[in-house]
Amino acid sequence: MNLAAAATNESLAQTSNVLIYSAMAVYTLAFFAHIAEWLLGSRSKVARTAAALTGGAQESAAGSVKVQVAKKGGATAVLERPKIITRSASGSRDIPDGPGAHGGDAQGDLYGRIAVSLTVLAWAVEAAGVVARALSVQRAPWGNMYEFNITFSTVAVGVYLTLLALKKNVRWIGLPLITTVLLDLGLAVTVLYTDSDQLVPALHSYWLWIHVSTAIFCGAVFYVGAVATLLYLFRERYETKLATGLKPGSFATSVMERLPASGTLDKFAYRVNAAVFPLWTFTIIAGAIWAGDAWGRYWGWDPKEVWSFITWVAYACYLHARATAGWKGRKAAYLALIAFGCWLFNYYGVNIFVTGKHSYAGV
């Protein structure tokens, strides 16, 4: 019976590996589809014709520019190009955004939908790989850095797809998300890979499911917030150049005009970080309770505990800065990126380079 169970577990572990590599292959296809969305979305025949007819003129009112484009057979089609208003009026809360990664035309939207469909497929395959890994060891699949990585990327993509399902305008996250997911999985299957094994005694607790799962989810949401914050900095600089009469390059214009306005990006980043911050607080508290059960003390200034607290302080400073008039905008954005850098170091640096009570199961 034991030999049969061991053979089954080994088979499940191999199945998990195959599924992870398969997910990487599909993510790669999604990556190229996202690139096609950005590159071809504003260069289709319809988009070029509309640009020529409008003469690049910018309208001042909100809404869409409607252009009649001649089609075969004498029929006409109406192409709606959302206006791009880079600065909101004084006191206005609603900031019109760019058309999106697809560039406002059907060809770009087609590639974008293909990219999202491939992302959904890759996410499903990767999630199956995580489940197979869990079944192979009959525990939560978070006993080492390899398992943490594949679960983290799965949750990060899941957060993105959930936002899309809720009709949020977040498809612009797709390309940077898939790029980093591929890097994350590449690192997982090469440098961080660890064979399936049982946990050390300290990890045999239901707190593993509670503490680590919330930590992974918080990291995934913090990542989405960090992407929005970074793009906010680029978009805000682009808007500042336009406001001062400068003319950015064609590449910068093509990319920046498709993103949401800087105010929208800033608001989005703040909301996701503020929403998940209480859960990060709970993660630290749950870890302290688990430490009390496993090691007989709730807090011992272990490197992982220290950097978890530093990350908490950094995000608390960011949220406080966003509520302070003098620290809104770029200053607060820099704090948000510093906070996410602390989380990344806690995720990778502490586990790989620092020795402590959390250094178990290899990497």
Side-chain angles (χ1 to χ4, degrees):
M1 179 62 69
N2 290 337
L3 292 177
T8 300
N9 292 342
E10 180 64 25
S11 176
L12 286 171
Q14 293 176 358
T15 300
S16 173
N17 294 340
V18 171
L19 289 171
I20 296 300
Y21 278 103
S22 299
M24 292 177 65
V26 183
Y27 276 131
T28 301
L29 295 177
F31 169 77
F32 286 116
H34 276 295
I35 289 180
E37 177 186 17
W38 281 91
L39 291 180
L40 305 179
S42 63
R43 299 181 184 180
S44 67
K45 181 178 179 180
V46 173
R48 290 197 303 270
T49 303
L53 291 174
T54 59
Q58 292 193 6
E59 304 290 336
S60 60
S64 299
V65 177
K66 294 186 178 180
V67 181
Q68 287 189 339
V69 182
K71 296 177 65 178
K72 292 181 179 179
T76 59
V78 176
L79 173 68
E80 295 191 0
R81 291 170 59 83
K83 289 185 181 66
I84 301 169
I85 302 176
T86 58
R87 293 284 182 181
S88 61
S90 177
S92 174
R93 296 180 62 86
D94 297 324
I95 305 175
D97 299 324
H102 49 75
D105 63 77
Q107 179 173 332
D109 186 62
L110 173 63
Y111 282 107
R113 291 177 183 276
I114 292 174
V116 172
S117 299
L118 289 171
T119 302
V120 171
L121 176 60
W123 173 82
V125 174
E126 184 182 13
V130 173
V131 172
R133 177 79 176 197
L135 294 175
S136 71
V137 290
Q138 299 180 1
R139 58 168 172 78
W142 310 316
N144 49 62
M145 282 292 291
Y146 168 74
E147 295 173 354
F148 197 96
N149 264 41
I150 61 176
T151 305
F152 171 77
S153 58
T154 303
V155 174
V157 175
V159 170
Y160 166 66
L161 295 177
T162 300
L163 291 173
L164 284 179
L166 294 175
K167 307 298 182 182
K168 302 298 182 181
N169 178 25
V170 295
R171 211 159 80 184
W172 43 270
I173 298 179
L175 182 57
L177 172 66
I178 299 306
T179 302
T180 50
V181 164
L182 283 172
L183 292 174
D184 178 77
L185 291 177
L187 181 66
V189 299
T190 55
V191 178
L192 301 177
Y193 182 77
T194 305
D195 290 331
S196 298
D197 201 357
Q198 294 303 312
L199 297 174
V200 296
L203 295 182
H204 283 287
S205 171
Y206 60 88
W207 283 106
L208 174 67
W209 293 91
I210 300 173
H211 172 65
V212 182
S213 63
T214 54
I216 292 173
F217 179 78
C218 288
V221 178
F222 283 149
Y223 166 78
V224 172
V227 172
T229 301
L230 186 62
L231 292 178
Y232 157 76
L233 291 173
F234 285 112
R235 171 75 186 199
E236 196 276 337
R237 184 176 295 275
Y238 171 76
E239 294 177 6
T240 300
K241 286 184 177 181
L242 291 182
T244 55
L246 297 177
K247 184 178 181 180
S250 58
F251 176 78
T253 300
S254 175
V255 174
M256 292 296 111
E257 286 190 350
R258 303 190 211 182
L259 293 175
S262 62
T264 302
L265 289 168
D266 183 43
K267 186 185 299 183
F268 174 78
Y270 170 69
R271 285 178 174 176
V272 296
N273 286 326
V276 80
F277 181 73
L279 188 60
W280 181 249
T281 304
F282 169 77
T283 301
I284 296 176
I285 295 174
I289 296 174
W290 188 10
D293 290 343
W295 300 319
R297 90 294 188 277
Y298 294 103
W299 193 266
W301 300 105
D302 182 75
K304 178 70 72 171
E305 298 168 351
V306 170
W307 277 96
S308 295
F309 179 68
I310 291 175
T311 302
W312 185 90
V313 171
Y315 273 107
C317 290
Y318 161 71
L319 296 176
H320 177 72
R322 282 292 275 103
T324 305
W327 276 84
K328 288 183 178 180
R330 298 185 70 86
K331 291 181 180 179
Y334 290 138
L335 280 177
L337 293 181
I338 291 173
F340 184 68
C342 293
W343 187 91
L344 278 181
F345 182 78
N346 189 37
Y347 177 24
Y348 286 109
V350 172
N351 285 52
I352 297 175
F353 303 112
V354 182
T355 302
K357 282 186 172 295
H358 287 79
S359 302
Y360 32 62
V363 293

